[in-house]
Amino acid sequence: MDTIPINSFLSLDDAQCDERIIAAKKALGTRLVILGHHYQREEVFKHADYTGDSLKLSRQAAQSGAEYIVFCGVHFMAEVADILSGFQQTAILPDLAAGCSMADMANLKNVEQAWHDLSVIRKADEYITPITYINSAADLKAFCGHHGGIVCTSSNAERVLKWAFSQREKVLFFPDQHLGRNTGARMGIPLEQMVVWDFDKPQGGLTQVQIQAAKIILWDGFCSVHQQFQPEHIEQYRTTYPEGKVISHPECPYEVCQKSDEIGSTETIIKTVKASPPGTRWLVGTEVNLVNRLAQESLLEDKFVHYMAPVVCMCSTMYRIDPHHLLWVLENLVEGKIVNQIKVLPKIAAPARLALERMLEVSSP
Ligand code: 13P
Ligand code: SF4
């Protein structure tokens, strides 16, 4: 039986999409769960059964008994949902082009090369714990599973790093250098003990002495959205609003996080702003869809939320999930057809699950 093509959905307006998404959700009932990341646009976000940051949504995927897990987020999130859910469950990403440019900055070949180069000093498995940020491909999670390593998210990076240091003396942290550096700094690790591994250079562009002196070897990756926030944005805001507070995502550069009052995952940012007293003013350094939604909701509680950059920093891949694609996958499911399934090969899923389960255990309340 042929699937219903996407083309027949593209000319629908938002109201038509809304009506049909609601009807499809009703028809699928408990067989379906829709997970929505905080960066999703409002037209999609409002249809999610559960919303959250990467850690919260991973837990939700692991606990859900639904037959279909439709992930309104990006590719690595749907992969995690597939890895952590049961054999009979199906993870679906409404648009396969919804990737993560930071995740793409590390690949298995480069990481294996780094592991090999780091083994020149001593066998890397004896002295380094690999940590992959959840924003990475499944085969890198599998690499960590194979090498005594672990996955982290923006909300548990400190606990994961502590665990990693209890295993071995050093950490190789990929792909986000900022999350690694900001978390290391919060733990009191001096900047000079956190070196950057340039994956385009032999031995990461580092000398053996630099590697030996390092506690954390940071992959030379970053998020192009969060990279745009600058310390000057905070300085300007503080000049205008000396009483105002600042909260940033740990994917922001070190100098931005240093100037912030609070640092946290998307879920933490929302919770912190919501828990602040009426009249509080916030400058928020993270993706625009989250900030706009938070600003609107906060106004109702007499709080003021400002966006950190003068230009709009949107995650263009998160934005690819639109109501048309959501409706397309749902109406196909109603017809008994699966489109855009994300399936991780069992030989990758098993070690990746190991690294993810270590993370869930380390970060359990
Ligand atoms: P959170 O886990 O904080 O939601 O972050 C995910 C992400 O991709 C941020 O850019
Ligand atoms: Fe990836 Fe950055 Fe988008 Fe998050 S905001 S999904 S890290 S590109």
Side-chain angles (χ1 to χ4, degrees), residues 262-320:
E262 311 274 350
I263 304 166
S265 75
T266 56
E267 183 79 9
T268 305
I269 291 173
I270 293 166
K271 280 191 177 153
T272 307
V273 172
K274 292 207 162 158
S276 64
T280 315
R281 188 177 293 281
W282 287 97
L283 182 70
V284 181
T286 198
E287 206 266 352
V288 70
N289 281 291
L290 182 159
V291 182
N292 283 346
R293 188 179 305 120
L294 188 58
Q296 277 184 6
E297 290 170 5
S298 300
L299 258 189
L300 303 175
E301 295 168 7
D302 207 18
K303 286 175 240 176
F304 310 97
V305 168
H306 301 246
Y307 186 62
M308 192 175 282
V311 289
V312 169
C313 309
M314 188 184 67
C315 179
S316 54
T317 47
M318 285 275 183
Y319 197 70
R320 292 202 68 107

Side-chain angles (χ1 to χ4, degrees), residues 36-253:
H37 186 264
H38 290 305
Y39 292 165
Q40 289 293 296
R41 51 166 97 185
E42 186 53 29
E43 310 90 274
V44 168
F45 191 80
K46 66 182 174 193
H47 294 296
D49 298 302
Y50 298 96
T51 60
D53 60 12
S54 306
L55 180 63
K56 189 171 162 197
L57 293 177
S58 306
R59 286 209 177 103
Q60 207 60 54
Q63 285 159 13
S64 168
E67 194 178 336
Y68 305 118
I69 302 172
V70 172
F71 216 121
C72 295
V74 288
H75 192 269
F76 72 81
M77 296 178 176
E79 275 189 339
V80 170
D82 179 53
I83 294 166
L84 291 178
S85 60
F87 184 64
Q88 271 104 345
Q89 294 172 287
T90 302
I92 291 168
L93 181 66
D95 186 338
L96 295 181
C100 164
S101 55
M102 176 213 280
D104 294 341
M105 289 180 190
N107 61 48
L108 187 59
K109 190 165 161 271
N110 288 339
V111 170
E112 280 180 340
Q113 182 63 48
W115 206 245
H116 172 268
D117 290 0
L118 288 162
S119 294
V120 169
I121 298 176
R122 212 165 107 203
K123 206 166 172 287
D125 288 79
E126 288 171 6
Y127 75 110
I128 305 175
T129 307
I131 302 181
T132 188
Y133 188 22
I134 198 162
N135 297 39
S136 58
D139 56 2
L140 292 182
K141 296 181 176 82
F143 175 92
C144 289
H146 278 308
H147 291 276
I150 188 165
V151 179
C152 79
T153 75
S154 60
S155 54
N156 60 20
E158 190 163 336
R159 281 199 202 195
V160 167
L161 267 170
K162 277 190 188 137
W163 177 87
F165 286 125
S166 75
Q167 308 295 305
R168 296 172 195 166
E169 68 203 61
K170 295 185 199 298
V171 160
L172 174 64
F173 192 99
F174 45 89
D176 185 23
Q177 59 169 294
H178 298 302
L179 176 64
R181 186 180 295 107
N182 288 323
T183 311
R186 284 219 287 194
M187 292 166 71
I189 300 173
L191 282 185
E192 54 280 11
Q193 289 181 17
M194 296 189 272
V195 293
V196 177
W197 184 271
D198 181 343
F199 48 87
D200 284 328
K201 292 192 178 146
Q203 207 174 264
L206 298 170
T207 64
Q208 289 205 7
V209 174
Q210 284 173 308
I211 294 169
Q212 258 149 355
K215 284 294 283 176
I216 309 182
I217 300 157
L218 301 165
W219 200 255
D220 192 10
F222 58 86
C223 165
S224 48
V225 177
H226 289 84
Q227 185 96 331
Q228 298 189 48
F229 301 119
Q230 297 299 321
E232 302 84 80
H233 302 148
I234 300 181
E235 282 154 21
Q236 280 157 18
Y237 165 82
R238 290 213 193 273
T239 309
T240 318
Y241 303 107
E243 81 301 343
K245 294 186 142 268
V246 180
I247 187 162
S248 303
H249 194 277
E251 287 175 16
C252 292

